[in-house]
Amino acid sequence: MSSSPNPQPEDNKLWSFLKSQRENIQSIAVALVLTFTIQTFAAQAFYIPSGSMEPTLLINDRLMVEKITYDFSAPERGQIIVFTPPKNHFNSNDQPFIKRVIGLPGDTVEVKAGKVLINGKPLDEKYIAEPPAYVMPPVKVPADQYFVMGDNRNNSFDSHIWGFLPRQNVIGRAIFRFWPLDRLGPLG
C-alpha cells in the first residue's frame, strides 16, 4: 500500500506566498528585460571619470547616451560622443572614452598658434578650457574615421595623441546630463 506524502505546512506557505507575489515577480522580470534591451540598443548611462572634457563636463557628471542616431546618420562636428578607444601602442584600455567630434572624414586637421584648424580655417571653440599649448602638423581624416578631442585640450588623451577614431568604435551620442541635479540638462 502506498500513500502519497502530505504536503508540509511550510510548503503550502511558500506556494501561497509565491502565488500572491506572481504579479510582482512578473513585473520585475519585465523591468529587467526592458532595462537590458534599452541599455543594449537604445540608451545607456555613463559617468565622467576624468577632467578631459572640462569645462563642459566635470568629473563624476552622469550622462545619458543614446545609441540609435548613428545607426541612421553620421556623427557631426561638435557633437559629444562616447566610444571604445582604438587599441594601439598608446592605448590598451577597454573603458569607454568621451570626446568631442572635431574632424570629419576627408577633413584636414591641424593645431598651431593655439588654434585648431579645419581645412585651414580656425574652429570657433567657445567650449574649451584653454587654447591648445601644442602644435600638431596637418593630418587628413580617412574615410569612416573621425578626429576627436577633449574640451580640456591640454589635458586630454585624444586623437592628437593616438590618432583617428574608426566609425565602428562609436557607441553613441551624449545627449543629457542627469547628475548633479544643479547641472541637469541637455548637452549641445
Side-chain angles (χ1 to χ4, degrees):
M1 162 160 98
S2 73
S3 66
S4 60
N6 291 331
Q8 299 295 326
E10 296 82 28
D11 291 341
N12 285 336
K13 287 180 185 176
L14 177 61
W15 183 249
S16 293
F17 173 76
L18 289 175
K19 283 178 74 175
S20 71
Q21 295 301 311
R22 181 176 180 209
E23 191 171 310
N24 290 338
I25 293 168
Q26 287 175 332
S27 295
I28 291 170
V30 168
L32 289 173
V33 168
L34 285 173
T35 299
F36 174 78
T37 303
I38 289 169
Q39 184 170 324
T40 302
F41 300 108
Q44 186 173 353
F46 285 90
Y47 83 100
I48 305 301
S50 77
S52 72
M53 283 297 292
E54 291 177 352
T56 307
L57 302 172
L58 304 179
I59 295 173
N60 291 322
D61 278 0
R62 304 294 200 266
L63 313 174
M64 188 57 61
V65 173
E66 69 86 16
K67 300 177 171 184
I68 297 173
T69 296
Y70 297 144
D71 288 340
F72 305 101
S73 64
E76 297 175 15
R77 188 179 342 277
Q79 291 179 336
I80 299 171
I81 63 171
V82 172
F83 58 91
T84 304
K87 291 198 181 348
N88 55 37
H89 60 278
F90 291 110
N91 183 40
S92 60
N93 188 353
D94 283 334
Q95 285 294 107
F97 281 16
I98 185 162
K99 305 290 178 202
R100 189 178 297 272
V101 176
I102 299 299
L104 303 174
D107 283 346
T108 298
V109 181
E110 178 180 10
V111 179
K112 70 177 182 182
K115 296 273 186 194
V116 174
L117 306 173
I118 302 295
N119 303 319
K121 296 180 182 164
L123 191 59
D124 183 24
E125 299 186 291
K126 295 176 178 85
Y127 44 77
I128 63 173
E130 60 188 13
Y134 54 86
V135 173
M136 187 190 83
V139 293
K140 185 168 180 145
V141 182
D144 292 323
Q145 298 196 41
Y146 297 89
F147 194 92
V148 296
M149 299 176 85
D151 290 355
N152 190 351
R153 293 286 189 258
N154 298 311
N155 188 21
S156 180
F157 186 57
D158 57 31
S159 286
H160 90 275
I161 296 171
W162 46 258
F164 305 109
L165 173 68
R167 166 84 186 250
Q168 70 264 17
N169 289 42
V170 176
I171 295 170
R173 179 178 176 198
I175 57 168
F176 191 81
R177 178 184 11 247
F178 64 87
W179 188 263
L181 294 177
D182 64 335
R183 292 172 34 92
L184 180 93
L187 298 169

